[in-house]
Amino acid sequence: MLLGRVARMYYEHGLTHQEIADTLGVSRIRVTRLLAEARETGVVEIIVHVEESLFADDERDLAAAFGLRQVWISPSVADEQKAARAFASVGAEALAAKLEPDAIVALGLSTAVALVAEEFPEQPLAASFVPVAGSVSGLVNGANPHELALAFARRTNGRAFHLPAPLLAASPEAAAASLADPGVREVLELAARADTLVAGIGGTARGQGLLLSSLGDAERERLLADGAVGDLAGRFFDADGEAVHGALDARVVGLGLDELRAIPNRLGIARGETKLAALRTALSSGLVNLLVTDSDTARALLAG
Amino acid sequence: MLLGRVARMYYEHGLTHQEIADTLGVSRIRVTRLLAEARETGVVEIIVHVEESLFADDERDLAAAFGLRQVWISPSVADEQKAARAFASVGAEALAAKLEPDAIVALGLSTAVALVAEEFPEQPLAASFVPVAGSVSGLVNGANPHELALAFARRTNGRAFHLPAPLLAASPEAAAASLADPGVREVLELAARADTLVAGIGGTARGQGLLLSSLGDAERERLLADGAVGDLAGRFFDADGEAVHGALDARVVGLGLDELRAIPNRLGIARGETKLAALRTALSSGLVNLLVTDSDTARALLAG
DNA sequence: CATTCTTGTGAACAAATGTACACGATCCCC
DNA sequence: GGGGATCGTGTACATTTGTTCACAAGAATG
């Protein structure tokens, strides 16, 4: 149990890596790595005894300003990688707080939610994770709803459902055919009965989000012309938070905006300047009633 | 609650001091200090989940070799200050493990025990701490039995007893007079009924320990001539672990060696090459049955 | 009111920690 | 048995952390 000895020498007796290496007859670098391992595996547990959250003020203000049930804010830092991880871990905390055992969780496709899945603590919850829309083809590094469901299910010892359909069908007819499939119907009906929705909120800037980047410029222009300001789980909405019905919308295989809105807990996960407009609308129109964002975005929302 | 925010940003989100300083608008150095404070005050708690102790093998071997009930070993490091603190904290752990609520603890004078007192965790035990011998005059930085008792009592919300007498009286007659004092008698009788004795073990090298260093060279030579190899709580013993009766012994105001030996838990706290001979005798003759030492001393004892 | 002490601060430096890279061993899959 | 991937390792370096020092503001003391 070298790991444990090293961990105790370091954390309980305050020896340096070098001193530990000397007494144990191993290299310093090995001690460094053992300590990292000890932290990762939970042999070393670090607890911060603070009830209040990091940005309690802003969280309260934001909830009040937009009539949200609860808000979680992660610290913004220059280092994008760190900011992303912090954001994801706050997202995981938020979801964990809202999740009861045996809950049904509806998942929108989103890279943000994918990161949350990676940070989600391992705990037996026996929840069901259900995609609200089909999958994107090609390489999308784990952001497909189905993969999200799998990742969450693995961590919570829960069940993952698969929606065997594309997010965007080739034509409205193809979408209708997909929706008529009993397997697809069944899963979407389950998603519609979810207790909690977890979804990213997308903006309309070029290349934003998985859905938009899979479209051509022409289709994007069309969306903007129809008044789209952002999307929630693959469904675009306008400045009033109402669905943008059109050629694109008819090709999406997934729950509609009204069905999403009928889910009691709707956790929106988004940050960044490019998402501001979409966020404002989604928040003020009640598309989501729970929010995870970062401190910069929070301040921008409060300032606006 | 700046402290808590800093602690969470650092330990939960992994930001660096500098990043935290930037987001919070304070200097980096201040963040460093807040984090140190958070650890000290217990806002941040670090737990190492390891059952087995650091030197489990040596502890078992040492206990077997000398017929001890239990042994605790602290890591030896080159940095003397760190080694001393590690030693003290292991000593504190050992004592804490043996201490039941309302226990009576007899305390020998010893700088080692003084360090243990400083590291002793704050916990309500309501124990009684009783000196087994009188006090040394002059500046002895907290190692006087009386001060030890106070330090322990403060940390455990317990009671400290005072033995109003010198450790070493000017003459055997003066010692006898001290011992005849009802206040002194009472406290010593209480000490004799203690559940646990905590004492350092002294060697006979020049300048060693509080008692020896207060003696002249002539008296020291006399002791050696009488066969003394070390002392326990102010009482010198010979190679058989038997009391060295003589001029010096008659001047000590405190429990005798036989009275000390009658205490059920006898925790000896000592480390270092200069203590080896005294330790060997104390251990093999059963003067103590519980031992706290460091890994170097432990190995030397096992090798010998 | 002057003055001593304490307390808190940051700059500059020293020390400790973490990371990128290169090397060698081992395991696996053909 | 030959590549090729993977793992564990240490060196050299970059980054982060902690410590020392000097200074300034405020509190306690004369």
Side-chain angles (χ1 to χ4, degrees):
Chain A
M1 200 53 205
L2 189 60
L3 194 81
R5 297 179 71 188
V6 167
R8 295 185 60 157
M9 284 190 185
Y10 188 72
Y11 286 107
E12 292 181 1
H13 296 300
L15 309 196
T16 67
H17 296 190
Q18 189 64 63
E19 287 170 329
I20 297 170
D22 292 347
T23 37
L24 261 48
V26 301
S27 76
R28 180 190 68 83
I29 196 69
R30 182 129 186 252
V31 172
T32 302
R33 283 170 186 154
L34 283 168
L35 283 171
E37 189 188 339
R39 285 186 296 259
E40 270 161 28
T41 58
V43 168
V44 169
E45 188 185 2
I46 302 183
I47 305 166
V48 180
H49 295 283
V50 175
E51 6 24 80
E52 203 171 44
S53 71
L54 273 182
F55 298 94
D57 296 355
D58 288 345
E59 290 174 1
R60 259 194 302 273
D61 294 350
L62 211 45
F66 291 96
L68 303 171
R69 294 235 303 269
Q70 198 167 348
V71 175
W72 291 262
I73 297 178
S74 78
S76 298
V77 264
D79 182 334
E80 169 53 25
Q81 219 176 351
K82 252 179 207 167
R85 204 164 41 232
F87 180 59
S89 85
V90 170
E93 185 193 326
L95 180 56
K98 283 293 147 188
L99 234 52
E100 313 207 329
D102 297 315
I104 302 175
V105 182
L107 298 168
L109 93 166
S110 151
T111 47
V113 179
L115 292 173
V116 169
E118 277 174 26
E119 294 286 331
F120 204 78
E122 309 233 350
Q123 52 174 324
L125 274 169
S128 297
F129 295 91
V130 193
V132 298
S135 305
V136 178
S137 58
L139 215 60
V140 290
N141 51 46
N144 260 326
H146 172 50
E147 294 179 53
L148 291 181
L150 277 175
F152 277 115
R154 186 159 10 98
R155 281 183 172 66
T156 59
N157 203 15
R159 295 196 298 161
F161 288 81
H162 181 33
L163 189 67
L167 169 61
L168 201 57
S171 66
E173 293 73 32
S178 254
L179 286 169
D181 181 272
V184 171
R185 280 265 302 280
E186 208 173 294
V187 172
L188 283 181
E189 275 164 16
L190 182 61
R193 294 202 311 273
D195 307 291
T196 302
L197 167 70
V198 184
I201 292 167
T204 52
R206 167 176 294 144
Q208 268 265 311
L210 296 175
L211 183 51
L212 262 188
S213 55
S214 69
L215 299 178
D217 270 0
E219 274 167 313
R220 183 170 151 266
E221 296 297 338
R222 176 82 150 292
L223 267 173
L224 292 178
D226 288 346
V229 300
D231 86 282
L232 178 72
R235 296 295 182 177
F236 281 90
F237 51 83
D238 62 20
D240 297 324
E242 294 302 325
V244 174
H245 292 297
L248 184 73
D249 198 56
R251 285 168 53 202
V252 173
V253 181
L255 292 190
L257 213 50
D258 291 338
E259 289 168 307
L260 292 173
R261 218 196 294 259
I263 297 175
N265 295 315
R266 298 181 301 281
L267 179 62
I269 300 189
R271 73 189 175 107
E273 236 172 314
T274 56
K275 306 271 180 104
L276 272 175
L279 261 173
R280 277 213 186 83
T281 303
L283 297 180
S284 51
S285 67
L287 275 175
V288 303
N289 55 12
L290 302 165
L291 172 69
V292 173
T293 192
D294 69 7
S295 58
D296 283 354
T297 310
R299 265 170 216 147
L301 285 169
L302 284 169
Chain B
M1 201 52 203
L2 189 60
L3 194 81
R5 298 180 70 190
V6 167
R8 296 186 58 158
M9 285 190 184
Y10 189 72
Y11 286 107
E12 293 181 0
H13 297 299
L15 309 197
T16 66
H17 296 191
Q18 189 64 63
E19 286 170 329
I20 297 170
D22 292 346
T23 38
L24 262 48
V26 302
S27 76
R28 178 188 72 82
I29 196 74
R30 185 130 184 252
V31 172
T32 302
R33 281 170 186 154
L34 283 167
L35 283 171
E37 190 188 339
R39 286 185 294 258
E40 270 162 27
T41 58
V43 168
V44 168
E45 187 186 3
I46 301 182
I47 306 165
V48 180
H49 295 283
V50 176
E51 8 22 82
E52 204 172 46
S53 71
L54 274 181
F55 298 93
D57 296 355
D58 288 344
E59 290 174 3
R60 258 193 304 271
D61 292 351
L62 212 44
F66 291 96
L68 302 172
R69 293 236 302 272
Q70 197 168 350
V71 176
W72 292 262
I73 297 177
S74 77
S76 298
V77 264
D79 181 335
E80 170 52 26
Q81 218 176 351
K82 251 179 210 169
R85 203 163 43 231
F87 180 59
S89 83
V90 169
E93 184 192 327
L95 180 56
K98 284 291 148 192
L99 231 53
E100 312 207 331
D102 298 314
I104 302 174
V105 182
L107 299 168
L109 91 164
S110 149
T111 47
V113 179
L115 292 173
V116 169
E118 277 174 28
E119 293 287 330
F120 204 78
E122 308 233 350
Q123 54 174 323
L125 274 169
S128 297
F129 296 91
V130 194
V132 298
S135 306
V136 179
S137 58
L139 215 59
V140 290
N141 51 44
N144 260 327
H146 173 49
E147 294 178 53
L148 290 182
L150 277 175
F152 277 115
R154 185 157 14 94
R155 282 182 170 66
T156 59
N157 204 14
R159 296 195 298 163
F161 288 80
H162 181 33
L163 189 69
L167 168 62
L168 201 57
S171 66
E173 294 73 31
S178 254
L179 285 168
D181 179 273
V184 172
R185 280 264 302 279
E186 209 173 293
V187 171
L188 283 181
E189 276 165 15
L190 182 60
R193 292 204 312 275
D195 307 291
T196 303
L197 166 70
V198 184
I201 292 166
T204 51
R206 165 177 294 143
Q208 269 263 314
L210 295 174
L211 184 51
L212 262 188
S213 55
S214 69
L215 299 178
D217 270 359
E219 274 167 313
R220 182 168 151 269
E221 297 296 340
R222 177 80 150 293
L223 266 174
L224 291 178
D226 287 347
V229 299
D231 85 282
L232 177 71
R235 295 295 181 177
F236 281 88
F237 51 83
D238 63 20
D240 298 323
E242 295 301 325
V244 174
H245 293 296
L248 183 73
D249 199 54
R251 285 169 51 204
V252 172
V253 181
L255 293 188
L257 214 49
D258 291 338
E259 289 167 306
L260 293 173
R261 218 196 294 260
I263 298 175
N265 295 316
R266 301 181 298 284
L267 179 63
I269 301 188
R271 71 187 176 109
E273 235 171 319
T274 56
K275 306 270 179 104
L276 271 176
L279 260 174
R280 278 214 186 82
T281 304
L283 297 180
S284 51
S285 67
L287 276 175
V288 303
N289 54 12
L290 302 166
L291 171 69
V292 173
T293 192
D294 69 8
S295 57
D296 283 354
T297 311
R299 268 175 214 142
L301 285 170
L302 284 169

